[in-house]
Amino acid sequence: MTEPLRPRAIGTSLARLDGRAKVTGTAIYAFEQPLERATYLHPVQATIARGRVTAVDTATAEALDGVVAVLTHVNAPRLASTDDAELAVLQSDEVAFRGQFVGAVIADTPEVARHAASLMGVSYDEQPYDVQLRADRDDLYAPEVVNPSFPTDTDDGDVDAALESAALTVDQTYSTAMQHNNPMEPHTTVAIWNDDGLTLYDSTQGVHAVRTTVAPVFGLDPERVRVIAPHVGGGFGSKGMPHAHVVLAGLAAQVTSGRPVKLALTRQQMFSLVGYRTPTIQRVRLGADSDGHLAAIAHDVVEQTSKIKEFAEQTAVSTRTMYASPNRRTSHRLAALDVPVPSWMRAPGECPGMFGPEVAMDELAVACGIDPIELRVRNEPATDPESGLPYSSRNLVGCLREGARRFGWDRRDPTPAARRDGGWLVGTGVASSTYPAYRQPGSVANIRSGPDGRFTVRIGAADIGTGTWTTLTQIAADALDVPVEAVDLQIGDSALPMATVAGGSSGISNWGSTIVGVARAFRDKYGPDPADGSETEGETPDNPASERFAMHAFGAQFAEVRVHADTGEIRVPRQLGVFAVGRIINPRTARSQFIGGMTMGLSMALHEHSVMDPSSGHVVNHDFAEYHIATNADVGDIDAVWLDEHDPHLNPMGSKGIGEIGIVGAAAAIANAAYHATGTRVRDLPITADRFLP
Ligand code: MOS
């Protein structure tokens, strides 16, 4: 047990400390950094899916007034390392996917750069390519591990025998669509190269992650790379690691004689350059006795990666811990295609990976004639089925029951297609949600006392729009036992002490634990009344409990769906999420994370679908006119609540991460509600009107 913090500021809905700066436009984002003599970069992208660049006509672009430089693979500065093929920008004539950088223009204005880029004539030797994910491909392979380091396959007991002898079985294939991250702020990098090294104003989830990744690419000592990101307009994983545009900006800054280079990707460019959620094809098999007790679970996933760099989404991992079953099997197989590199998108693994199984559980509930909540309760494990460890806290059942009470589940007639309201068929659905309580070592915090009882708390953490400026201040205040007004927090700069990335919903756990540890050491050393200038620095303390417990957050997602009987139009008037995530640091910012995740889940259920054209290797709907994202008009009555969960094993705050769990299970709840409304089972996302038409 880690010694718990006495919550005073923690648990209050402190308004965002950066809120005023944001709404008045004085919070400076990367591209807005005021810099003298800035130049602007516009990339040139490959228009073939695979092959070689045979020639680039740069003369017209170079002759344009205001053009500072034109880069191609022929003249771009050489990188020190090309080990990471995604980051090996303009180092060869090879094209590995459509949209890859093949050139760039640097100019005095963004308009001139863009116009000049459009004048670059690129000739190609085009080669055959393959961009189609199918489960029946003969070249699927098993990766060594799945993201970030889970075993690829697991096999416990005898799944085949258990399925054979089960009273009831479900054997279905589900699919989730390719999706692209679209944070409000596009990916932006401002690069300055001078005698001090490389400075980047970057829209990133981790300043130190960028520094650590980019420094060896340029052959620089990490101390000579500085990354600054005080405000970030969303990331969802796509800014968790630097992508090729960061390197392109750095290369460009080497040829501008010290002038800063500003690069903001356009929406359309983001669809090939900043990662995406792989499409998944999931075969789920469940075997159960007539009372719904699971005897077997098998979850076999096929998904894609790129030929130049592997990313293996951990889609089946949550199945390993979700329900009790003596026989369990999971597997992941990849197709390596001539496509951009997939990457993290809010709850990689859990988000797509809870869709198939949670719809399958609904199908099993129908097959058994058991209420879907009761079915889940009957399969609640006493300990983590995978590790055998006890859970530090597991309140899935509590979430399901509280949600049922709030949602009015007891009034539900289980018969599908039984409720009609005018022309609309009405149904309700439920699904479980889960997300691991990750914690990584490796953050460092520095605390220094100032005059008048003030404290400066320094850590290179990131606020990607989630509220870190506010919540870390609350934690620091409680850790030092001072009011929040006495804390000056500094984050978002690699010149500050090292911090882990804002990813895996682990930011607050990692940075908060570190700050609490350092604050305790500070108080032990200097007492309640430290002299001005007293200072302590230290690393994230170990948490031995993480060896003894399985640590996961849980939740229950509820949805009401209306499907128009004549047109198939689908609406979601109601969504409720109930979560058990330990202690909530700030109810206001937490609720915003939950309903944001649930809205993204609604978006996944009904809209988001990157359409890969097999005849061009191009995501054809690469803008907001064609790639639909849920808006206010799509969201009905949405609410998120949480149980009062006390878990002393997690960290001194008693908190689990909350950035990602809100999306997990939301699409399954909507798909299950759509079945209940119509009697039509949709197993492929997104759920569109045509599925309900005869
Ligand atoms: Mo999140 S996809 O781990 O940034």
Side-chain angles (χ1 to χ4, degrees), residues 56-415:
V56 189
D57 173 16
T58 58
T60 322
E62 278 163 342
L64 214 64
D65 232 15
V67 168
V68 174
V70 173
L71 291 180
T72 68
H73 72 275
V74 177
N75 68 341
R78 295 300 97 184
L79 295 169
S81 167
T82 54
D83 291 350
D84 184 333
E86 185 189 359
L87 302 181
V89 176
L90 301 182
Q91 300 299 292
S92 84
D93 59 357
E94 271 177 71
V95 174
F97 58 86
R98 192 181 175 111
Q100 195 171 16
F101 291 136
V102 293
V105 176
I106 306 144
D108 290 332
T109 70
E111 291 79 7
V112 169
R114 187 171 189 146
H115 178 53
S118 75
L119 301 175
M120 301 254 286
V122 184
S123 311
Y124 300 97
D125 169 17
E126 196 170 352
Q127 288 159 12
Y129 55 87
D130 183 356
V131 297
Q132 272 189 298
L133 178 66
R134 292 187 324 271
D136 63 354
R137 294 179 64 103
D138 59 12
D139 60 349
L140 299 173
Y141 75 97
E144 297 255 308
V145 292
V146 292
N147 176 62
S149 56
F150 292 106
T152 301
D153 295 350
T154 59
D155 197 350
D156 297 277
D158 189 339
V159 164
D160 294 328
L163 285 168
E164 191 80 20
S165 60
L168 296 162
T169 56
V170 171
D171 181 353
Q172 293 292 352
T173 298
Y174 306 86
S175 70
T176 61
M178 181 196 289
Q179 300 182 322
H180 279 82
N181 266 316
N182 274 285
M184 285 241 277
E185 182 200 17
H187 293 64
T188 302
T189 304
V190 177
I192 305 160
W193 194 293
N194 55 29
D195 293 342
D196 299 333
L198 175 64
T199 301
L200 299 169
Y201 296 93
D202 192 35
S203 183
T204 176
Q205 295 173 226
V207 287
H208 290 97
V210 172
R211 185 179 78 171
T212 308
T213 308
V214 162
V217 172
F218 288 107
L220 291 172
D221 189 73
E223 274 60 55
R224 297 192 63 219
V225 177
R226 174 139 177 230
V227 185
I228 302 166
H231 301 289
V232 176
F236 307 108
S238 67
K239 297 173 183 171
M241 287 296 257
H243 295 289
H245 66 279
V246 181
V247 176
L248 182 63
L251 278 179
Q254 287 178 284
V255 303
T256 55
S257 313
R259 291 179 70 183
V261 175
K262 290 191 163 192
L263 165 59
L265 294 182
T266 65
R267 276 296 155 195
Q268 292 192 336
Q269 289 164 353
M270 284 167 60
F271 277 80
S272 34
L273 290 163
V274 299
Y276 59 93
R277 196 194 295 287
T278 174
T280 73
I281 302 165
Q282 311 175 28
R283 184 177 180 196
V284 180
R285 282 170 289 174
L286 303 176
D289 67 18
S290 53
D291 292 329
H293 297 108
L294 287 166
I297 306 174
H299 190 187
D300 298 297
V301 180
V302 175
E303 51 200 19
Q304 77 188 39
T305 185
S306 78
K307 279 206 186 121
I308 58 165
K309 180 170 162 181
E310 183 182 278
F311 176 80
E313 179 123 351
Q314 73 275 34
T315 306
V317 164
S318 43
T319 299
R320 297 172 186 170
T321 189
M322 208 52 213
Y323 298 113
S325 170
N327 306 288
R328 305 180 314 277
R329 187 161 74 213
T330 60
S331 72
H332 300 83
R333 295 293 177 270
L334 298 183
L337 304 176
D338 300 303
V339 293
V341 189
S343 183
W344 301 322
M345 182 165 175
R346 204 172 201 166
E350 287 76 15
C351 173
M354 287 286 278
F355 176 72
E358 287 301 307
V359 177
M361 285 295 277
D362 202 65
E363 301 204 51
L364 181 62
V366 172
C368 302
I370 297 172
D371 178 81
I373 292 178
E374 178 58 26
L375 177 70
R376 287 170 172 86
V377 172
R378 282 186 197 179
N379 287 290
E380 181 70 0
T383 55
D384 175 17
E386 190 182 23
S387 65
L389 296 171
Y391 288 96
S392 62
S393 55
R394 174 173 167 127
N395 284 303
L396 172 62
V397 172
C399 292
L400 289 163
R401 295 234 193 272
E402 176 63 10
R405 189 184 70 75
R406 288 174 177 261
F407 204 70
W409 194 259
D410 60 342
R411 296 193 298 274
R412 182 183 195 253
D413 174 353
T415 319

